[in-house]
Amino acid sequence: MRKLMLLFLAILLYQSKPSISKPSPPPLPVLPVPSSSQLKWQRREIIMFYHFGINTFTDSEWGTGHERPSIFNPTALNTTQWISAAASLGVSLVILTAKHHDGFCLWPSRYTHHSVAFSPLQGGKGDVVRDFVAVARARGIDVGLYLSPWDRHEKSYGLNVPYNEYYLGQLYELLGNYGSISEIWFDGAKGANATNMTYYFKDWFGMTKQMQGSINIFSDAGPDLRWVGDEKGAAGETCWSPINRTRLRIGDASLESYLNTGDPKGTDWIPPECDVSLRPGWFWHAAEKPKPLNQLIDIYFKSVGRNCVLLLNVPPNTTGLVSNSDINRLHQFRSAIDQIFNIDLARNRTVKASSEWGGEHGGFTAGNVVDGDEETYWTPEEEEKEGGYWIELRGLNRTDKFNVVRIQEMITMGQRIRRHEIYVDGKVVVGNGTTVGYKRLHRLERPVGAKKVRIWIPESRGPPLISAVGLHFDPFKPWISTNAM
Ligand code: FUL
């Protein structure tokens, strides 16, 4: 009898359990994938560079190393004003040239007399690195440093062991005395007097990682971030974060196009950073002006809009301030980006897809691409449909014109899309391309109004994972302003 009652109870419990379908576990990643530091960096989108040093006072780009430290005299130096400029653009990481090729140090390095300690700045007590770091941190902005390997002042330059020791000593000072450093910038430039000298990159990188566990190391060859191969702020139309590190060599000009496009067969995740200056030069020159707004917007589309981070250089002037003309241009740039992207015509619209991983309760439904949440994504069933995978926005208003299409991959699980096409109302192709990556922005030929917008993905490394699709209107597109006149 007791047994029977227990059985009855068990049946009752089983039947009263509500039938909830379980979400599906996500698909497997497609390697390589980013580290958490690389992911954090990618999401910053725009970061800022400050070229400041002895060159600022000699109207030059590459100092000789023979300049007297006494000429370094920024009478109104105000790093708070520099950082406010960065904050107004919305950047979360700022990088300072602690030492450029002339060898002059913006901090009082123990290993040289060629530094701020021998300049009039605060009677020799100044430390631009210290001030810069303190102000940025107080504003919640992360910090990076540029320590040029090429040093035209240092006597030991050209001698393998002594110079590498000198360089490591300075690196140790910068990475040990200024708290957490998020990025370190190594370039490969070398003097003609050092053709037989080797930069001990392996030792430098090793010590850097030992001292700053979550830092990103930038160089022509990574290991964390790579140069994009030009200084125009433009990535390749095809731009893979994966690349083969074994093919890369620091300072090898023949690799520029490889760096620009990356490699779908790459086994290393080393995304490109697009460094470009707001002005023609990297350092401030009285005769130069900031780039026009249209050019900056174009740079944004060719860097951030091609799976990269834009590193925009804003050089402070001889008084030690960012010039007003530059500040105004940064404000215009920010407000232009906001004007284009703050309105998203795709937001919360109906979305259909070729299939949904795990079905409608799987957690990877098409609607995830318009929910405004970068952590959710759509992914189809593994099986490739004829002609590829697709996702389609429906129920749009023909009167709402857009001329920018934004597509974002969920890169935490690898970069996958090899080719994509954008169709409106079933048949008209308004844009197409190869890679997508973290963010791909298409600037269309002309504004379009449509009821349906479909993204076709005919080729990809495994099923695509899409976190966002957006439709925007860009009033700055050059032809619009000329037509309106
Ligand atoms: C290059 C340098 O030679 C330029 O002067 C500038 O600093 C640029 C960002 O990197 O390697």
Side-chain angles (χ1 to χ4, degrees):
M1 184 62 183
R2 208 163 153 245
K3 268 193 187 155
L4 212 71
M5 271 183 72
L6 276 175
L7 186 71
F8 183 67
L9 204 69
I11 292 170
L12 210 72
L13 274 174
Y14 179 78
Q15 281 182 343
S16 63
K17 205 172 145 215
S19 69
I20 305 168
S21 346
K22 286 182 287 168
S24 308
L28 289 174
V30 173
L31 300 178
V33 294
S35 69
S36 62
S37 301
Q38 289 170 322
L39 204 57
K40 187 169 179 194
W41 164 90
Q42 186 93 48
R43 289 178 169 160
R44 297 179 191 274
E45 300 201 356
I46 306 181
I47 58 179
M48 211 140 127
F49 221 169
Y50 296 86
H51 274 64
F52 186 61
I54 219 89
N55 293 339
T56 313
F57 299 86
T58 57
D59 201 17
S60 59
E61 280 290 305
W62 282 3
T64 60
H66 300 301
E67 298 84 4
R68 282 172 295 111
S70 58
I71 63 169
F72 182 83
N73 191 15
T75 45
L77 177 69
N78 183 350
T79 48
T80 303
Q81 189 252 12
W82 304 7
I83 301 298
S84 296
S88 73
L89 187 60
V91 317
S92 62
L93 170 66
V94 288
I95 305 179
L96 173 66
T97 52
K99 176 180 92 166
H100 202 251
H101 307 331
D102 50 74
F104 182 79
C105 301
L106 291 185
W107 81 103
S109 172
R110 274 188 279 181
Y111 308 113
T112 183
H113 289 167
H114 202 49
S115 82
V116 280
F118 297 82
S119 80
L121 185 71
Q122 292 169 29
K125 296 269 178 291
D127 181 342
V128 186
V129 175
R130 178 193 62 205
D131 295 354
F132 180 81
V133 167
V135 174
R137 217 158 267 151
R139 294 286 295 256
I141 295 179
D142 293 329
V143 169
L145 296 171
Y146 173 165
L147 181 67
S148 166
W150 187 16
D151 189 322
R152 302 177 88 178
H153 177 83
E154 171 55 27
K155 294 273 177 302
S156 64
Y157 189 79
L159 304 170
N160 265 328
V161 174
Y163 183 70
N164 276 284
E165 283 175 354
Y166 176 78
Y167 189 87
L168 270 173
Q170 294 200 321
L171 198 56
Y172 192 82
E173 290 181 320
L174 290 178
L175 300 177
N177 298 338
Y178 298 95
S180 164
I181 305 295
S182 301
E183 184 169 335
I184 182 102
W185 231 79
F186 294 111
D187 72 83
K190 229 179 196 185
N193 57 340
T195 40
N196 292 325
M197 186 185 74
T198 312
Y199 294 145
Y200 292 0
F201 283 114
K202 238 179 147 183
D203 301 70
W204 303 356
F205 294 174
M207 194 182 82
T208 300
K209 288 283 182 183
Q210 187 187 62
M211 297 184 72
Q212 298 276 347
S214 57
I215 200 167
N216 280 316
I217 299 180
F218 169 98
S219 85
D220 289 1
D224 302 309
L225 309 174
R226 71 179 200 253
W227 184 44
V228 74
D230 65 52
E231 290 181 341
K232 299 186 301 225
E237 281 194 67
T238 295
C239 186
W240 291 97
S241 294
I243 198 158
N244 274 321
R245 205 178 154 196
T246 47
R247 273 191 64 184
L248 302 179
R249 276 175 310 279
I250 298 180
D252 183 342
S254 71
L255 292 169
E256 285 172 9
S257 78
Y258 188 60
L259 290 169
N260 205 239
T261 57
D263 188 343
K265 296 204 179 81
T267 52
D268 306 286
W269 186 276
I270 313 179
E273 186 170 272
C274 297
D275 58 319
V276 64
S277 187
L278 182 64
R279 289 165 163 255
W282 290 103
F283 284 87
W284 182 84
H285 306 286
E288 292 183 350
K289 289 189 172 46
K291 290 184 166 63
L293 178 63
N294 268 341
Q295 197 178 342
L296 289 180
I297 298 173
D298 185 54
I299 288 173
Y300 180 85
F301 275 93
K302 289 179 174 155
S303 54
V304 177
R306 291 183 183 168
N307 185 37
C308 289
V309 166
L310 168 59
L311 172 56
L312 183 63
N313 176 62
V314 180
N317 60 27
T318 44
T319 54
L321 294 169
V322 174
S323 304
N324 283 337
S325 57
D326 299 29
I327 304 250
N328 291 340
R329 189 55 65 16
L330 295 176
H331 287 164
Q332 289 173 344
F333 188 30
R334 179 74 254 165
S335 92
I337 297 170
D338 290 345
Q339 213 176 318
I340 300 169
F341 294 102
N342 280 359
I343 297 177
D344 178 5
L345 301 171
R347 192 67 182 275
N348 293 330
R349 292 293 171 164
T350 310
V351 196
K352 294 280 176 235
S354 47
S355 65
E356 289 168 341
W357 176 269
E360 59 176 319
H361 301 293
F364 304 97
T365 49
N368 287 346
V369 306
V370 293
D371 65 359
D373 182 351
E374 279 194 18
E375 300 296 335
T376 63
Y377 56 93
W378 161 72
T379 189
E381 291 294 346
E382 195 103 32
E383 222 31 38
E384 193 169 322
K385 297 264 153 52
E386 202 183 321
Y389 309 96
W390 58 262
I391 188 158
E392 186 170 82
L393 305 168
R394 294 189 178 166
L396 303 165
N397 291 328
R398 283 229 169 84
T399 46
D400 289 338
K401 304 275 189 226
F402 60 90
N403 57 358
V404 173
V405 178
R406 173 173 54 92
I407 312 171
Q408 298 190 235
E409 272 188 83
M410 188 71 192
I411 57 162
T412 48
M413 310 270 269
Q415 190 182 345
R416 303 172 178 219
I417 298 174
R418 284 174 178 274
R419 206 152 62 77
H420 64 285
E421 288 157 5
I422 306 161
Y423 282 76
V424 294
D425 289 338
K427 46 192 184 302
V428 191
V429 182
V430 291
N432 58 59
T434 51
T435 49
V436 171
Y438 169 69
K439 187 176 272 191
R440 178 70 193 252
L441 299 173
H442 284 276
R443 252 180 154 181
L444 309 185
E445 278 299 307
R446 56 184 58 81
V448 220
K451 281 186 117 56
K452 294 190 281 187
V453 176
R454 179 181 288 210
I455 317 286
W456 269 103
I457 300 153
E459 277 177 58
S460 112
R461 300 166 66 232
L465 270 55
I466 299 192
S467 64
V469 176
L471 302 176
H472 307 274
F473 182 72
D474 167 9
F476 302 93
K477 182 96 203 292
W479 81 267
I480 295 181
S481 35
T482 26
N483 271 17
M485 287 198 313

